[in-house]
Amino acid sequence: MTTLGLRRMTPRDPDQHHRAASPLELLFDLVFVVAVGFAASNLHEIEAEGHITSAVLSYALVFFAIWWAWINFSWFATSFDTDDWAYRLTTFVQMAGVLVLAAGVRDAMVDGVWTTAVAGYVVMRLALVAQWLRAAGSAPAYRRTALRYAGGIVVVQALWVGMLLLPHAAVPFVAPVLVLLEVLVPPFAESGTRTTPWHTRHIAERYSLFTLIVLGEGLVASASAVIDALRDAEHVGSLLVLAGCGLVVVAGLWWIYFSREQHAHIRSLGTALVFGYGHYLVFAAAGALPAGIEVAVGAATGDADLSHTTVAATVTVPVALFVLAIWALALRPSLGRAGNASVVLLALAVLAATAVPAAALVLTALCVAATVVVLEVADRGR
């Protein structure tokens, strides 16, 4: 039954057959491509200037804002997506917030001015509050949970706005506390009440699609290396090797991520939180890889004044973190003792390749390819 074209925001069937990402969700993801791309490009710029620590810390916070807004929309949508005009308009408001956040990425990461980024983030979060309030009014069985979500989000957003009134020097100390409060809202809302009914295959697909987005940025970086090679005959050999290794690494990470179905890892509230929160490392590492490839391109052409070890680390650390994170979240249960040991040792070998900067990218590509072989062999042995 509808009123003014609105449907009751009742929970979706968690066992619905053939549930897949909607066109609206796919459009929502595409908007995030902009924000992820801006974060990666600014990470590259700051790393290339030699400010590695500040680059990583500012990137980690900006990427949290991007990831947290995306993850909260995705989990809400898997439970309460009505796809009526009000739901669509509210989602478009969240998209507008993403674009505002993207516009403020450079100010936040380079200059430490968070006003625009926080404004965009708050717009996204408060738009979701409207969705939770609507769910509270339409689904009495989940009213307490929905109101807990709405109240928790509003309180934390007020604190983010309050952070803007503090000196810039206070942000590195205050922001981690607010991040902690943000991630505590879902367990607070879901505990002691009726948990929201998520569709495991649908949510696993949503995570897979976001992984494709961030890995796609790595392909763009590898393509840029090829373009630079064609324009720069002096460094054509090294740039083509870099581009080839970058392609192997990105393809290998894709293969590793999609080597196992992941929906079985989000059956309970506890496993859903581990799976959802653990993917921050997966997404952030994949998003940082393009910056590392670009730094390596700059070093190869003499445009980056960094030590060879630092240049290598901008690639090896994200790759190793990605592999270890997805191994812990999804691969480990499907592998035997030898397979688990092999994957971990290969990830550590990627980190160790940092000490051999001249061959770090080649060694990284070989280790990633070897990890794919380990997973394929283990898959055939099951």
Side-chain angles (χ1 to χ4, degrees):
M1 184 173 181
T2 61
T3 303
L4 300 176
L6 297 177
R7 302 187 183 97
R8 287 185 61 81
M9 191 171 269
T10 53
R12 297 286 295 263
D13 180 3
D15 298 315
Q16 177 184 348
H17 294 297
H18 309 297
R19 177 81 186 274
S22 69
L24 181 61
E25 288 175 313
L26 297 177
L27 180 62
F28 187 81
D29 290 353
L30 289 177
V31 175
F32 276 82
V33 173
V34 179
V36 171
F38 281 11
S41 62
N42 282 281
L43 175 63
H44 157 237
E45 180 179 327
I46 303 171
E47 286 180 333
E49 294 174 352
H51 307 299
I52 302 300
T53 301
S54 62
V56 171
L57 293 177
S58 60
Y59 170 78
L61 184 54
V62 164
F63 199 91
F64 170 82
I66 297 169
W67 164 78
W68 192 242
W70 180 89
I71 193 177
N72 275 264
F73 166 79
S74 297
W75 283 89
F76 180 88
T78 198
S79 300
F80 295 104
D81 182 359
T82 58
D83 198 33
D84 57 17
W85 64 265
Y87 180 86
R88 292 182 178 186
L89 287 178
T90 311
T91 303
F92 289 148
V93 172
Q94 293 179 72
M95 293 182 193
V98 177
L99 296 177
V100 174
L101 170 62
V105 164
R106 179 177 176 79
D107 287 345
M109 293 184 65
V110 176
D111 302 322
V113 178
W114 291 86
T115 305
T116 303
V118 168
Y121 179 72
V122 170
V123 167
M124 289 188 287
R125 302 295 282 136
L126 293 183
L128 189 62
V129 168
Q131 298 280 45
W132 279 116
L133 291 176
R134 186 180 172 196
S138 299
Y142 297 93
R143 181 168 297 152
R144 186 180 179 191
T145 303
L147 290 176
R148 281 189 169 196
Y149 269 110
I153 294 171
V154 168
V155 169
V156 181
Q157 300 325 293
L159 294 175
W160 280 112
V161 173
M163 185 189 75
L164 298 178
L165 304 177
L166 301 175
H168 292 336
V171 171
F173 303 98
V174 175
V177 177
L178 299 185
V179 166
L180 177 61
L181 293 177
E182 286 278 18
V183 300
L184 287 176
V185 169
F188 160 73
E190 301 277 3
S191 63
T193 63
R194 189 170 183 178
T195 57
T196 49
W198 57 80
H199 192 291
T200 57
R201 290 186 180 274
H202 173 251
I203 202 67
E205 180 196 26
R206 300 293 295 120
Y207 276 77
S208 298
L209 291 172
F210 199 82
T211 301
L212 290 175
I213 288 175
V214 289
L215 286 177
E217 297 289 342
L219 292 177
V220 173
S222 296
S224 297
V226 174
I227 294 171
D228 289 341
L230 296 176
R231 294 175 178 173
D232 189 349
E234 182 181 355
H235 304 98
V236 63
S238 59
L239 287 173
L240 286 177
V241 169
L242 193 156
C245 290
L247 177 59
V248 170
V249 168
V250 173
L253 295 183
W254 170 86
W255 201 313
I256 291 167
Y257 186 91
F258 289 95
S259 65
R260 302 289 188 275
E261 290 192 0
Q262 300 183 25
H263 64 278
H265 303 294
I266 44 180
R267 296 293 184 184
S268 65
L269 177 60
T271 56
L273 290 173
V274 170
F275 181 86
Y277 290 4
H279 263 74
Y280 171 79
L281 297 176
V282 176
F283 293 156
L289 178 58
I293 294 175
E294 293 285 1
V295 168
V297 170
T301 57
D303 295 331
D305 187 17
L306 296 172
S307 71
H308 296 307
T309 301
T310 301
V311 171
T314 63
V315 173
T316 58
V317 172
V319 171
L321 185 60
F322 181 100
V323 174
L324 289 172
I326 198 59
W327 166 78
L329 291 172
L331 302 180
R332 184 172 48 84
S334 69
L335 298 173
R337 183 176 299 177
N340 280 314
S342 297
V343 171
V344 172
L345 288 174
L346 285 167
L348 295 178
V350 171
L351 283 178
T354 309
V356 192
L361 196 53
V362 173
L363 292 173
T364 297
L366 290 174
C367 288
V368 170
T371 304
V372 171
V373 172
V374 168
L375 295 175
E376 288 297 301
V377 170
D379 196 38
R380 289 172 185 164
R382 287 193 293 171

